[in-house]
Amino acid sequence: MATHGSVRLGPMARNAAYVVAIELMSAAQGLDLRNGGMASPEGSKTYDLTREDSAHLDDDRVLSHDIESVAARVLLGQYLPIARISLSARV
C-alpha cells in the first residue's frame, strides 16, 4: 500500500497545484473586475506574482500555458513566503 501511495503522490500534488493555480488566476481576475486590481498589501503580492504569468483576461484565449506557469510557481513554493509558511517548520 505505501509503495502504491508514494507512486500516486506526485500526480496528486501536480493536480492540486493546478487547482490552486486556477483559484489564484480566478482571484486575480475577480480583483481586476471589482477593484481594478487593487488588493490589500499582502494580497497585492499574491496578485502581482500571479499576474507575472497570467495577464488579465479581456477576451477568450487558451489558458493552459498560464495555468502551467502559475502551477509551476505553486510547486516551487514561490507563494509560501507571501503566506509566511515555512516548509522546514515543525508542527
Side-chain angles (χ1 to χ4, degrees):
M1 288 290 264
T3 303
H4 182 64
S6 65
V7 170
R8 293 181 24 224
L9 186 58
M12 287 170 38
R14 186 130 188 97
N15 286 340
Y18 287 140
V19 171
V20 171
I22 292 167
E23 290 290 335
L24 287 165
M25 292 168 55
S26 297
Q29 187 72 16
L31 276 172
D32 287 344
L33 296 174
R34 185 174 176 110
N35 296 2
M38 298 297 294
S40 68
E42 291 301 314
S44 66
K45 293 175 187 176
T46 302
Y47 173 87
D48 292 341
L49 188 58
T50 302
R51 282 294 183 227
E52 285 181 22
D53 294 310
S54 179
H56 175 78
L57 187 62
D58 287 320
D59 295 313
D60 285 343
R61 69 171 191 267
V62 176
L63 295 175
S64 59
H65 178 71
D66 296 18
I67 294 169
E68 287 288 342
S69 297
V70 176
R73 286 185 185 270
V74 170
L75 288 170
L76 290 170
Q78 294 181 1
Y79 287 92
L80 294 177
I82 297 169
R84 294 187 183 107
I85 295 172
S86 171
L87 293 181
S88 62
R90 292 183 180 204
V91 179

